[in-house]
Amino acid sequence: EGAEGADVEMHEPEADDDEDNAQKAMAPIKNVKAVPEPPADANGWKPPAPVGSPVDTPEATIGAIKDELLALDAALPDGGGEGRAFCKVRGSKARKEAWRRMVENANDPLTLAMACVLLEASLKREWLSPAWLPWSPPAIALRAASQPDANAAGASVLLRVHALRKAIVWPQQRRVREEVAPEPQLSREERGARRAAAQAAAQIAAAIKASEMDLDDAY
């Protein structure tokens, strides 16, 4: 046991020496730069910049929300037949004109959140993706837009408008989905009903075959 203790004591100073040597090899902390300097070639490196207009103030966010809502309304078709995206009553001409005035005169996130909810309600159901269901309750949008922090309230409305644009199923997307639509998934009750129908059909076929054999035997 004494020899083993002596070996441990001989190795410990060597580990301490290695650690001291490693620390001495490191550059002094005052010479370490937290952020490296960009390359000298200005054309080869540029700092990242956000896409689109900056929305770092509540006023800029409100302006961006207005632009997004009006652009989305203008992009949605309002013709007749299947190409019409709006309901006949909620998306009537008079209501749409009043909605545009509401958006243009809005100066707070809550009013714009109401305008976004009204736009959602005026669309036909088939124009919205099923994935929109978790976003659809208006209370969520209105509660987020009425919080005291103006930046957070405006950002929540802008996020909802962006999500609404992504949730709209345009006619060309609808045609592609119909062409590659997967087989519908049946519920447990439907699968059981199909199995029962198949078994009944098999029993009827077996009974018909047995009756035919009996007739052959009779003749």
Side-chain angles (χ1 to χ4, degrees):
E1 294 179 357
E4 293 178 359
D7 292 339
V8 173
E9 293 177 357
M10 289 175 65
H11 287 291
E12 286 182 355
E14 293 180 3
D16 294 339
D17 293 340
D18 294 340
E19 186 177 353
D20 293 340
N21 293 333
Q23 291 181 355
K24 290 178 181 179
M26 295 174 61
I29 190 65
K30 62 181 180 179
N31 296 335
V32 177
K33 294 183 179 180
V35 180
E37 295 292 335
D41 185 7
N43 296 325
W45 181 89
K46 293 182 179 180
V51 179
S53 303
V55 289
D56 51 356
T57 62
E59 293 77 13
T61 304
I62 290 176
I65 297 170
K66 290 183 178 181
D67 294 341
E68 290 282 346
L69 285 173
L70 294 175
L72 182 58
D73 173 66
L76 291 168
D78 197 16
E82 297 181 355
R84 182 183 176 91
F86 296 92
C87 300
K88 291 184 178 180
V89 177
R90 293 190 296 269
S92 62
K93 182 178 179 180
R95 288 175 182 251
K96 290 190 66 175
E97 291 177 354
W99 180 86
R100 293 191 187 101
R101 289 194 298 269
M102 176 183 182
V103 174
E104 292 172 356
N105 297 328
N107 54 10
D108 61 276
L110 182 58
T111 304
L112 291 173
M114 295 178 183
C116 184
V117 171
L118 291 174
L119 178 62
E120 299 164 20
S122 65
L123 294 176
K124 291 183 178 179
R125 185 173 183 180
E126 59 267 22
W127 277 77
L128 291 174
S129 170
W132 179 247
L133 183 61
W135 290 80
S136 57
I140 300 175
L142 300 179
R143 190 182 303 113
S146 60
Q147 56 183 307
D149 189 345
N151 288 318
S156 68
V157 181
L158 186 58
L159 176 62
R160 188 177 181 92
V161 176
H162 287 169
L164 175 61
R165 177 181 285 273
K166 292 289 185 181
I168 292 177
V169 182
W170 302 92
Q172 56 270 25
Q173 295 175 338
R174 194 177 301 115
R175 286 194 295 268
V176 171
R177 291 184 180 183
E178 291 175 356
E179 292 175 359
V180 297
E183 291 293 331
Q185 295 184 355
L186 302 178
S187 63
R188 181 179 300 177
E189 292 77 9
E190 292 173 338
R191 291 195 299 268
R194 287 198 174 188
R195 284 195 298 267
Q199 292 174 359
Q203 292 174 359
I204 293 173
I208 294 174
K209 186 175 181 180
S211 62
E212 291 176 352
M213 292 178 63
D214 293 340
L215 290 175
D216 293 339
D217 295 339
Y219 290 101

